[in-house]
Amino acid sequence: MKIKSLLAAGVTLAMLAGCGSSTPASDGAAEQPAEEGGEAAAEAKTYNVGVAIYQFDDNFMTLYRNEIEAYFKTKETDTVKYNVTIVDGKNDMAEQSNQVDNFITQGMDVIILNLVQTSSADAIIDKVVGAGIPLVLINREPLGTDGDESYAGILDNATVCYVGADARQSGTYQGEIIAELPDHGDINGDGKVSYVMIEGDPENIDAQYRTEFSIKALEDAGIEVECLDDQVGNWAQAKGQEIAANALTQYGDKVEVIFCNNDAMALGAAASITAANRTVGEDIYLVGVDALEECVEMVNNGTMTGTVLNDANGQAHKAVDVAIELLEGKSIQNYYWVDYVKVVKE
Ligand code: BGC
C-alpha cells in the first residue's frame, strides 16, 4: 500500500516538475487533494535522469534498462523522486549524440549512458562534463581501458565513471566450461578442439575479450584448438542462427564447439544445431554469455552446454546507486566491476 501511494505521488510529481526541472515541486503538489503523506510529498525534490541505451532491440540491454527503471522506483522516498527518461539510440551514434544533446538542453541532473560506439567516448564525455552533468557509463567500456586504469585520463574526472563487468572473466569461464568437460571438447578424439566463434559487435571490448579469452582458457589448459570459422553476428539472434547454419553446412561433423559471445546469438545457433540434426552434449557443444532465462533453462535441460551470468540486475543496481551518489554530491570511484558467474548444469 505504501509503495503504491509513493509510486502514485512519484508519477504526479514527475509530470508536474517536467523535464529539465529539479526544483521542488511544491506548487503543483499543493493542488493535489489532501491525502496521507501529502504534506511530506509536497516537499519532494524531483531529479531528472536521462538514460541513453545503444539499442532497445537487444535482449540483454532490455533486461538491464527495465531494471534501471524499476530500481530507481525503489529508491524513491517521500522527499526524493526520480523522473527517468530512457531513449533508444537505435544502434546509431549520430542519433545517440543528438539524444545526449537533448538531455543537456533539458537539464538532466545525471546521465546514464550505454554508448553506441565506444570510439566516440571522448567527444560525448567532454560535452556532458562540459555541461556540468555527472555521467555514468554502462555496459560498453570505453576502448583503451585496462582494468582499473583510467581511460586516457577522461575517467579520472570526479563526476564520470564506468559500471561494467570485466569481459575477460566471461571469456575465460566459457573456455573453462569446455575444458572441464570429460572429453575437454574434443568429441571426435583427434587431439584438438575444432570450433566456430560467433562474435558480437567487433568494436565492443566485450566481443574482443570473450573471443580471445575463451580460446586462451582452452590453450592454458593445454588443449590444442583449431578455428574453423570466426564471424561477426553483432549480438543478434538471427545472425547467430545464420552463421551457425552456414558453418554446420560447410564443416559438418568437424564442428565440435560453437562459442557465442552472447546468449542471443547462442539461441540462434541452437536452432541451427537442431535443424542440422546435431545434438548438444552428444555430438556438439554450445556456450554463450548472459544467462538469459531461456538459456539457463536450456543449460538445465542439456540443449546448451553452458553460459555465463552477465549480471544485468547487479550492474543496473550499481549504476543507479552511483548515479544517486553523484546526485548527492558524494565522491565516487571511476570504475565499478560486477562479477560474472559460470552457469553449467548442476
Ligand atoms: C552482452 C550482450 C549485449 C551487449 C550490448 C554484452 O555485455 O553480453 O548480450 O548484446 O552487451 O552491448
Side-chain angles (χ1 to χ4, degrees):
M1 267 243 304
K2 185 153 186 240
I3 291 179
K4 251 193 186 167
S5 65
L6 278 179
L7 290 184
V11 169
T12 314
L13 290 171
M15 280 164 36
L16 288 167
C19 257
S21 161
S22 60
T23 50
S26 49
D27 297 353
E31 285 161 27
Q32 295 305 301
E35 54 180 292
E36 240 190 323
E39 240 170 77
E43 288 155 28
K45 177 172 178 67
T46 298
Y47 287 110
N48 291 307
V49 181
V51 182
I53 299 295
Y54 96 95
Q55 171 164 249
F56 279 7
D57 185 16
D58 178 295
N59 309 33
F60 175 76
M61 287 314 303
T62 297
L63 297 173
Y64 200 138
R65 79 184 140 93
N66 289 342
E67 191 58 26
I68 287 179
E69 199 168 19
Y71 191 64
F72 261 118
K73 279 276 166 240
T74 70
K75 293 284 163 186
E76 292 195 326
T77 65
D78 284 349
T79 51
V80 179
K81 308 291 174 199
Y82 300 101
N83 180 19
V84 181
T85 304
I86 309 188
V87 293
D88 180 2
K90 303 192 182 109
N91 207 16
D92 177 344
M93 193 60 237
E95 166 104 20
Q96 186 174 64
S97 187
N98 283 336
Q99 292 171 337
V100 171
D101 288 343
N102 288 338
F103 280 169
I104 292 172
T105 313
Q106 290 160 359
M108 290 296 175
D109 297 304
V110 67
I111 293 175
I112 297 180
L113 176 61
N114 170 211
L115 281 166
V116 171
Q117 278 173 1
T118 44
S119 53
S120 298
D122 312 41
I124 301 272
I125 293 171
D126 277 355
K127 67 180 170 189
V128 176
V129 169
I133 302 173
L135 175 65
V136 181
L137 294 158
I138 57 166
N139 173 257
R140 296 183 157 193
E141 187 186 345
L143 294 175
T145 55
D146 183 17
D148 281 337
E149 281 175 34
S150 63
Y151 171 58
I154 289 169
L155 288 180
D156 281 341
N157 193 290
T159 57
V160 182
C161 67
Y162 175 73
V163 173
D166 182 350
R168 286 171 286 204
Q169 191 184 32
S170 54
T172 301
Y173 285 166
Q174 284 189 300
E176 286 177 2
I177 289 170
I178 298 302
E180 286 158 7
L181 291 167
D183 62 7
H184 315 296
D186 182 12
I187 297 175
N188 57 23
D190 66 352
K192 58 180 192 274
V193 172
S194 305
Y195 70 91
V196 171
M197 182 67 70
I198 305 183
E199 296 194 28
D201 169 4
E203 196 202 275
N204 190 317
I205 198 85
D206 284 6
Q208 295 167 21
Y209 277 158
R210 288 175 193 165
T211 299
E212 179 186 346
F213 282 80
S214 52
I215 301 310
K216 184 175 182 299
L218 285 177
E219 289 171 339
D220 287 350
I223 296 165
E224 200 182 312
V225 293
E226 175 190 31
C227 178
L228 296 173
D229 204 359
D230 185 336
Q231 300 280 340
V232 170
N234 272 327
W235 305 120
Q237 184 166 340
K239 283 297 284 176
Q241 183 161 351
E242 183 189 316
I243 292 166
N246 290 342
L248 289 167
T249 304
Q250 192 171 350
Y251 300 102
D253 289 346
K254 274 187 157 180
V255 182
E256 295 172 304
V257 182
I258 299 185
F259 286 98
C260 298
N261 281 174
N262 76 348
D263 276 354
M265 297 187 294
L267 283 171
S272 296
I273 287 172
T274 307
N277 286 320
R278 303 284 294 272
T279 308
V280 170
E282 287 178 21
D283 57 24
I284 195 163
Y285 296 120
L286 172 66
V287 283
V289 175
D290 283 337
L292 298 179
E293 211 175 299
E294 52 269 61
C295 292
V296 173
E297 263 170 43
M298 288 166 69
V299 170
N300 286 328
N301 70 29
T303 49
M304 247 178 97
T305 312
T307 182
V308 179
L309 171 69
N310 190 4
D311 188 357
N313 289 353
Q315 291 172 71
H317 294 183
K318 182 49 83 183
V320 170
D321 286 341
V322 178
I324 291 174
E325 283 174 23
L326 283 162
L327 288 171
E328 291 170 347
K330 296 194 178 140
S331 63
I332 50 144
Q333 293 168 212
N334 289 122
Y335 286 90
Y336 293 91
W337 301 108
V338 175
D339 270 334
Y340 284 103
V341 183
K342 215 184 273 186
V343 180
V344 288
K345 194 173 178 179
E346 310 229 312

